[in-house]
Amino acid sequence: MTPLERLGLLALHRLDPETAHALSVRALNAGLAPTPGPVTSARLATTLAGLALPNPVGLAAGFDKNAVAVNRLTRAGFGFIEVGAATPRPQEGNARPRLFRLTEDRAVINRFGFNNEGSEAITARLAARQRGPVPVGLNLGANKDSADRAADFGQVLALAGPHVDFATVNVSSPNTERLRDLQGKAALTALLTGVLAVRDTLAVRIPVFVKIAPDLDAAGLEDIAEAALTSGIDGIIATNTTLSRSGLRSPHATQTGGLSGAPLFELSTRVLARISALTEGRLPLVGVGGISSAEQAYAKIRAGASAVQLYSGLVYGGLSLAADIARGLDALLERDGFASVAEAVGTGRGDWL
């Protein structure tokens, strides 16, 4: 982290978290944040469900909900970017305050409720973006008051699909009532089948992932794995935020919403390893939850992830964290004799089972 970035983070942390986030996006677009370009090497370059990635360190959905900073983000060191979530119609989300820093725990709680400007506005920005070597995807959401939430995902994909490199079906947010009910085997299989039918109408076939919660029990994970394999989905993102509050010290620990950041690392990595074992390498996985160092990204990969995503770690480590993790991951792969990311995937899965 540069001295300027460190100073900027200190200033942002004196503000309301949601205000600070909005200012950080504006600063990025104004050229005030580090944009070294995609970090890559022969070891780091990899593929994810057919996508060519400069490196396996991605940005998770939620940072750029409305796709207003895509061009800058693709030059911030990430190997791939996910924007959104987008719902068919604009949505205000839940009342503020709805974002909380848990500084003592290096964590964040949010209860945004899929606030976004709607699929039409977001798609227009995605259509106008500069294409480059960093894939850009969209997280698909459902309107809170929708009569058919399953149909909402397909509706957003039909509109935005021609302008993105991948899409994610988000059935794992804890902040939209009963959304996680769609993770049940029958409901999820039907949902994914419907979304993939829409995907197959696109002129260019793009991979579609499903993002799951970390709070599933063993039977729930088995259902997810079976639904994913049966439907023909292209991969699984594990995991979204948790409802658990175990071991927190911050006074904000009692806030409702999804918890992300450092406390999520162990739980999400165990879920990742279990999904890896259940799918037996037949689906690529993306590891998310609590990553704030190259060592943690490497642990996710060795637990079974072909790529990883960050978000909450940036709150405490700044935007330069993405490039730092990619470079550190390259060094760890070299240290352990791996010629590529793919060689390391799953080599430490047993440590998490």
Side-chain angles (χ1 to χ4, degrees):
M1 195 187 305
T2 66
L4 179 61
E5 188 178 9
R6 193 180 305 278
L7 188 62
L9 271 184
L10 287 172
L12 288 172
H13 279 219
R14 297 176 68 88
L15 303 173
D16 162 75
E18 191 165 350
T19 300
H21 177 73
L23 285 174
S24 70
V25 174
R26 291 176 64 182
L28 173 63
N29 276 335
L32 300 177
T35 51
V39 175
T40 193
S41 72
R43 270 182 298 272
L44 289 176
T46 191
T47 60
L48 175 68
L51 298 170
L53 310 182
N55 71 65
V57 182
L59 176 65
F63 181 88
D64 188 6
K65 287 178 175 290
N66 294 304
V68 297
V70 176
N71 292 331
R72 289 283 183 176
L73 286 169
T74 58
R75 299 194 292 273
F78 295 102
F80 61 111
I81 303 294
E82 186 176 341
V83 301
T87 55
R89 291 172 284 107
Q91 187 162 271
E92 289 293 327
N94 296 320
R96 297 178 67 164
R98 54 192 178 182
L99 180 65
F100 306 89
R101 288 187 213 98
L102 284 70
T103 304
E104 297 88 344
D105 304 295
R106 296 187 70 83
V108 172
I109 290 175
N110 90 83
R111 51 171 180 263
F112 280 119
F114 281 172
N115 60 306
N116 71 105
E117 294 177 9
S119 58
E120 290 187 7
I122 292 170
T123 296
R125 295 186 187 113
L126 290 168
R129 71 184 172 93
Q130 299 167 6
R131 297 273 180 163
V134 176
V136 174
L138 178 64
N139 190 282
L140 313 175
N143 281 115
K144 183 177 182 178
D145 60 354
S146 174
D148 187 351
R149 288 181 179 170
D152 281 12
F153 296 98
Q155 185 178 336
V156 177
L157 180 60
L159 184 64
H163 308 293
V164 294
D165 301 304
F166 67 94
T168 299
V169 178
N170 187 352
V171 292
S172 54
S173 171
N175 299 317
T176 297
E177 187 178 359
R178 300 190 66 82
L179 182 70
R180 286 188 173 189
D181 290 354
L182 292 173
Q183 292 180 124
K185 183 166 62 175
L188 184 59
T189 300
L191 168 62
L192 296 180
T193 299
V195 170
L196 293 177
V198 173
R199 187 274 307 278
D200 291 343
T201 68
L202 302 177
V204 177
R205 184 190 187 282
I206 62 171
V208 176
F209 304 98
V210 62
K211 189 170 188 177
I212 66 171
D215 303 319
L216 294 156
D217 60 16
L221 289 174
E222 290 175 5
D223 285 349
I224 290 280
E226 185 174 342
L229 292 169
T230 300
S231 67
I233 201 80
D234 296 284
I236 299 173
I237 299 179
T239 67
N240 209 323
T241 57
T242 181
L243 294 173
S244 170
R245 297 293 186 266
S246 177
L248 298 181
R249 297 174 293 153
S250 169
H252 291 306
T254 58
Q255 292 291 340
T256 60
L259 173 73
S260 59
L264 182 56
F265 178 76
E266 183 171 337
L267 173 62
S268 61
T269 308
R270 291 193 185 283
V271 169
L272 168 69
R274 289 168 186 153
I275 283 288
S276 176
L278 288 166
T279 56
E280 299 178 329
R282 287 179 284 174
L283 285 175
L285 309 178
V286 179
V288 195
I291 298 172
S292 61
S293 69
E295 289 77 12
Q296 289 175 318
Y298 188 41
K300 295 274 191 189
I301 288 168
R302 295 192 67 238
S306 295
V308 300
Q309 287 179 320
L310 325 175
Y311 179 5
S312 297
L314 304 179
V315 173
Y316 300 100
L319 193 63
S320 62
L321 183 65
D324 290 345
I325 288 178
R327 295 186 188 105
L329 181 58
D330 195 16
L332 291 169
L333 291 166
E334 181 181 25
R335 181 197 68 187
D336 291 348
F338 293 116
S340 67
V341 172
E343 282 188 6
V345 173
T347 56
R349 186 175 70 188
D351 297 340
W352 296 93
L353 294 175

